[in-house]
Amino acid sequence: MKNIKITAAVTLLVLGLTSCKDEKQEQAQKKVDAYVAYVDSVKNVSAENLKADWKAVDAEYDRRSQEAQAALADLKDNSAATEKVNASKTKYEEFKNEMSTVFAPPAPAPSPKQQLRDALFGAGKIGDDMNFNWVNAQNIHSVYQQFVHTVEDNKDKYSREDWDEVKLMYEALDSRKNTVEKEGLTAEDNRKIAGLKIKFAPMYTVNRMGAKSEENKDAKK
């Protein structure tokens, strides 16, 4: 009888331990599933709503991520769960990078001077450092073409200050040409550039004077 009681007690203890283990694994699986579901739910929220609460969203992600990582240790066979956690982690990191771009403040508009330089040479080609090293024997003719044609298209819109900037850029380009001539500039391209320079010179002189006259008129008014 005594042996029966002991056996029964041991059986109950084993069943209790087994039940605790099963419950622990069940809770661990729930934490993994909750983490995966959270990542999927965040991706379905509009960027506008996310932006307002992003710090809280990211903090909640960190909490759930830590719980899921800890839960993996409580799972007897955690290979499938580990794969799910890693996939969700990658998914969230990619989404976070995407949102960082979306939430970033817009870049300030370039100054009028920079806008003029962008039009003359191409966006971002010439900055405050006035570096013309990108101009070489192969592209210098097209650079002059864009410069002179842009000036021709906008000559009636330029202010006196614009023309001063145009002249500054033109002289810097000419200085670069002196270097490029020693680096294989073809005679044909040199001839074409000379034609563009002949076209630019009177256009600059006449329109620069006209812009100054218009500003004097406006000042008198």
Side-chain angles (χ1 to χ4, degrees):
M1 186 69 178
K2 185 176 181 180
N3 289 338
I4 293 174
K5 288 182 179 179
I6 292 173
T7 303
V10 170
T11 301
L12 288 173
L13 179 61
V14 170
L15 289 173
L17 290 174
T18 302
S19 176
C20 288
K21 287 181 180 178
D22 289 345
E23 184 178 346
K24 194 172 185 180
Q25 290 206 53
E26 185 179 338
Q27 290 300 319
Q29 187 62 53
K30 284 182 178 179
K31 287 178 180 178
V32 169
D33 292 341
Y35 167 72
V36 172
Y38 182 77
V39 172
D40 290 339
S41 67
V42 167
K43 285 173 62 65
N44 291 324
V45 180
S46 69
E48 183 178 351
N49 290 332
L50 279 176
K51 185 176 182 180
D53 298 311
W54 181 249
K55 286 185 178 179
V57 168
D58 199 37
E60 179 65 12
Y61 168 82
D62 287 339
R63 185 184 72 79
R64 289 177 182 263
S65 176
Q66 291 169 14
E67 285 188 348
Q69 289 292 340
L72 291 176
D74 294 330
L75 292 172
K76 186 176 181 181
D77 180 7
N78 65 7
S79 56
T82 300
E83 188 175 335
K84 289 171 67 175
V85 167
N86 289 340
S88 289
K89 181 180 180 181
T90 299
K91 189 186 296 184
Y92 183 81
E93 289 301 325
E94 290 175 351
F95 182 70
K96 184 175 180 178
N97 290 336
E98 181 184 335
M99 288 301 100
S100 295
T101 302
V102 173
F103 299 156
S111 65
K113 180 175 74 174
Q114 188 59 53
Q115 291 180 42
L116 178 57
R117 292 181 178 186
D118 288 347
L120 293 171
F121 298 107
K125 293 287 188 180
I126 298 296
D128 290 336
D129 59 359
M130 289 183 61
N131 188 333
F132 279 80
N133 289 344
W134 57 276
V135 179
N136 53 49
Q138 287 69 46
N139 66 16
I140 192 167
H141 172 234
S142 63
V143 173
Y144 267 98
Q145 269 189 318
Q146 177 171 339
F147 185 97
V148 174
H149 292 166
T150 299
V151 171
E152 185 176 28
D153 291 341
N154 295 278
K155 63 182 185 293
D156 296 328
K157 304 174 187 175
Y158 288 155
S159 66
R160 181 169 56 86
E161 287 78 10
D162 290 335
W163 282 111
D164 290 344
E165 180 68 17
V166 166
K167 183 181 181 185
L168 178 67
M169 292 297 102
Y170 181 75
E171 290 174 346
L173 179 58
D174 267 356
S175 177
R176 178 60 181 169
K177 179 178 176 291
N178 293 335
T179 300
V180 168
E181 282 181 323
K182 304 169 188 175
E183 298 176 348
L185 180 63
T186 65
E188 178 66 13
D189 279 347
N190 209 350
R191 183 185 64 76
K192 291 177 180 178
I193 290 171
L196 290 166
K197 291 167 65 69
I198 290 171
K199 185 176 186 179
F200 173 80
M203 183 167 56
Y204 166 78
T205 302
V206 171
N207 288 280
R208 168 66 168 71
M209 291 176 60
K212 185 174 182 180
S213 297
E214 287 297 320
E215 289 185 7
N216 289 339
K217 275 186 189 178
D218 292 339
K220 288 179 180 179
K221 290 180 182 178

